[in-house]
Amino acid sequence: MSDNERQYRDDHFLAERFEAYRGHLRAVAYRMLGSAAEAEDAVQEAWFRLSRTDMREVDNLGGWLTTVVGRVCLDMLRSRRSRGEEPLDTWRPGASAEPDPAQDAVLADSVGMALLVVLDTLSPAERLAFVLHDLFGVPFEEVGGILGRSPAAARQLASRARRRVRGAQAPEADLVRQREVVDAFLAAAREGDFDGLLAVLDPDVVARSEAGVAAGAVGVASGAKSFAHLARLACPALVDGATGLVVYAGGRVERVLTFAFAADRITAIDILTNPEDLAELTIEPV
């Protein structure tokens, strides 16, 4: 095999591996930037950087690409702020540089205009920490590396962003319905009712905690069954204005569960146990 043929083979293999991650990278970039066109630009920049990198230096391609896209998006957000942003009331997600209306619609539906508008009020560092950790499960060690800060500082940024996102009050009718869903979740968890848990969990639900991330209704329901002994101590509460559960132990808050919803199903559960994070929450018993 000639050197040109070997190079072509290697380039083709690298391109195939990159394409396997393109959807994930575009989703990360869209949530960071709120624009399909800018997200595509960020993904293409990641490809350019990958094509100039010695692959022997990359142990985890998916993690490496996510880090690169995160850094590119951070630079783009900072640049956007330095030249002034569009007013929120006129902002709309941009069209893709390579038009794909179906894909753009999937991205928009998966994020939601309301969340994008709230994310747009965060600082670039807060937005990156929240999106990478809370939405994609990137460890704070890696988030801190992208930001040039310690893991503890990255955790603080994500916590601050999380409070602001949850502070966008849901309509009262939504809170009532969400309370019904959470009550059903709590009752099923207390009884170890697997089918009852599945009934209130979205098929693609994600549960995040310091121990890691669980994805899918079956996996999350299995984990919730093991929560039965703590579920008996849990009480419904408003956490930063949103529907949640609080577990008390010895008269103090031991852990907090917060939820995200879509179509009367739970789409995400965040389990907070870090004392510093818990101290920053506004908890109102209901």
Side-chain angles (χ1 to χ4, degrees), residues 18-249:
F18 178 82
E19 286 302 320
Y21 290 104
R22 180 181 287 275
H24 165 75
L25 298 176
R26 197 163 184 257
V28 171
Y30 186 76
R31 286 159 175 78
M32 282 289 299
L33 299 168
S35 162
E38 288 185 329
E40 194 64 42
D41 290 342
V43 173
Q44 286 304 108
E45 177 61 25
W47 164 247
F48 294 144
R49 296 188 186 188
L50 177 63
S51 64
R52 298 193 298 266
T53 299
D54 185 348
M55 287 301 297
R56 290 173 296 184
E57 301 174 359
V58 179
D59 295 326
N60 178 350
L61 181 59
W64 187 91
L65 287 169
T66 300
T67 297
V68 169
V69 166
R71 286 179 174 147
V72 171
C73 290
L74 184 63
D75 290 342
M76 293 172 74
L77 285 172
R78 287 170 172 166
S79 176
R80 181 193 293 174
R81 292 230 163 185
S82 69
R83 64 177 185 264
E85 296 178 316
E86 294 181 47
L88 287 177
D89 58 352
T90 62
W91 178 87
R92 294 290 185 276
S96 173
E98 295 179 7
D100 185 351
Q103 178 65 13
D104 289 349
V106 169
L107 284 172
D109 287 345
S110 69
V111 181
M113 181 64 73
L115 177 57
L116 285 176
V117 171
V118 175
L119 289 178
D120 215 38
T121 68
L122 305 178
S123 72
E126 288 171 341
R127 186 162 181 162
L128 181 137
F130 176 78
V131 168
L132 290 189
H133 180 266
D134 282 42
L135 302 186
F136 291 96
V138 176
F140 282 121
E141 289 76 12
E142 295 179 27
V143 174
I146 297 172
L147 293 169
R149 306 192 189 191
S150 68
R155 181 193 301 277
Q156 192 73 12
L157 286 166
S159 177
R160 192 158 62 229
R162 194 180 299 121
R163 291 199 308 274
R164 293 177 68 179
V165 169
R166 290 177 183 149
Q169 295 279 348
E172 190 65 28
D174 288 350
L175 288 175
V176 171
R177 180 55 189 148
Q178 290 171 9
R179 170 66 188 276
E180 293 174 352
V181 174
V182 169
D183 284 347
F185 170 85
L186 182 58
R190 285 172 172 170
E191 297 298 324
D193 181 358
F194 189 77
D195 290 335
L197 289 166
L198 291 180
V200 296
L201 295 174
D202 184 85
D204 297 318
V205 63
V206 175
R208 296 176 287 253
S209 69
E210 291 298 317
V213 178
V218 172
V220 173
S222 297
K225 283 183 63 178
S226 65
F227 173 69
H229 65 293
L230 289 174
R232 297 186 181 94
L233 305 175
C235 303
L238 287 179
V239 180
D240 288 340
T243 303
L245 292 173
V246 179
V247 176
Y248 294 93

Side-chain angles (χ1 to χ4, degrees), residues 253-271:
V253 176
E254 192 271 338
R255 71 182 59 201
V256 169
L257 281 70
T258 62
F259 302 85
F261 306 87
D264 293 338
R265 294 251 182 147
I266 296 169
T267 58
I269 305 172
D270 284 296
I271 305 167

